[in-house]
Amino acid sequence: MSFRLSQRDKDIIGFINQFRAVDRDSLVELFFKQLKSPINACNSVMVRLYRLGLIERTQQYSPTVYLPIDAKIKKNSQKILHFLSILDVYKQMYTYSVPKHVTVEDKPTGRKGGIEPDLFCIFKGSPFWIEIQRNQYSEQKMQAKINLYEEFFFSDEWKALHWQPEDRSAIFPSVILITPIRYAVNSEHIRIIQVASIHELMEKYKISSKQTKEVRPSASSSGIKIHLT
């Protein structure tokens, strides 16, 4: 059977492969919202791609969630909710600026037992590793997670990561904890940002940016000191 895929078809398949689980409404928002009947158009495209055997789907959720054809997760797995939460963070970023070098479940150390952030991306010119905490953990467990980032920082291996700039010094990403709970974690070597959402991050940045314009920055200045240009 021969068929021709449009560039949008290829982009959708690639996006599903990248994020592992993508709900219908997210596809509408990212690929079809400019059309007159975006939901109908999305449904039509996704049914065609499914019947062609190019994607999988699960109707355990409403609206339908689409999966890669070789998905290694069960169609009723709680892991799907994990991937959807990563997608939600990406979509929040997308409303401000398209993230670059996006990697879902990044494994920058290349070995077991190292850091495994839920998401890596360069957002508004700055690199971030993002940890999405859907459940509550102990302070000790969260600090242990931060300690792994510090261990990687001291290894210097991060300086050779493929996304590092070629024309200036290597940058160690800030670590964003997406969590409704504030944990008493700390590090003298890496920047840790705790927010409930990317929207909260951007609101804090706006406040910080405004304060920077109004007063000369000092060591005690409040607000998030990250490069989000």
Side-chain angles (χ1 to χ4, degrees), residues 11-188:
D11 290 343
I12 289 171
I13 294 168
F15 191 79
I16 292 170
N17 289 338
Q18 182 180 31
F19 281 89
R20 323 282 176 83
V22 181
D23 62 286
R24 192 277 313 274
D25 286 354
S26 292
L27 292 170
V28 169
E29 181 181 343
L30 295 168
F31 294 97
F32 297 91
K33 68 178 181 181
Q34 76 281 8
L35 301 180
K36 186 176 180 181
S37 301
I39 293 177
N40 289 340
C42 181
N43 287 340
S44 176
V45 168
M46 300 315 293
V47 166
R48 175 169 54 81
L49 295 179
Y50 173 71
R51 288 176 176 169
L52 288 171
L54 299 173
I55 55 171
E56 265 295 350
R57 70 183 183 188
T58 173
Q59 295 175 313
Q60 298 276 341
Y61 303 87
S62 181
T64 300
V65 171
Y66 295 94
L67 311 167
I69 193 64
D70 60 349
K72 295 181 174 65
I73 52 177
K74 294 180 180 178
K75 294 184 178 182
N76 60 351
S77 171
Q78 287 295 305
K79 189 79 170 169
I80 289 174
L81 295 176
H82 166 71
F83 288 125
L84 291 177
S85 67
I86 295 174
L87 175 60
D88 185 60
V89 168
Y90 171 84
K91 288 194 302 175
Q92 288 180 46
M93 289 182 162
Y94 191 88
T95 63
Y96 300 99
S97 177
V98 179
K100 299 177 180 177
H101 295 285
V102 176
T103 305
V104 175
E105 292 195 331
D106 192 19
K107 294 179 175 58
T109 68
R111 56 181 176 271
K112 204 168 184 179
I115 62 171
E116 295 185 359
D118 296 310
L119 186 67
F120 168 80
C121 67
I122 294 177
F123 177 56
K124 285 187 165 287
S126 294
F128 295 98
W129 278 314
I130 302 173
E131 298 271 0
I132 303 167
Q133 305 304 135
R134 293 178 54 233
N135 301 309
Q136 185 173 352
Y137 295 99
S138 67
E139 302 282 356
Q140 292 83 358
K141 187 168 183 177
M142 292 303 296
Q143 186 61 53
K145 190 184 288 279
I146 297 303
N147 292 346
L148 284 176
Y149 280 94
E150 287 195 331
E151 184 181 307
F152 190 47
F153 174 81
F154 285 114
S155 76
D156 279 349
E157 294 173 25
W158 54 273
K159 293 180 180 179
L161 293 173
H162 70 92
W163 50 264
Q164 289 285 5
E166 296 179 358
D167 56 345
R168 51 197 170 94
S169 299
I171 306 166
F172 193 86
S174 299
V175 178
I176 300 179
L177 302 180
I178 303 286
T179 169
I181 301 160
R182 295 298 183 267
Y183 292 95
V185 294
N186 62 80
S187 170
E188 295 181 0

Side-chain angles (χ1 to χ4, degrees), residues 204-218:
K204 285 190 174 186
Y205 169 70
K206 268 198 250 179
I207 293 170
S208 175
S209 179
K210 186 177 180 182
Q211 288 173 341
T212 302
K213 291 176 183 176
E214 292 176 351
V215 298
R216 186 180 295 276
S218 68

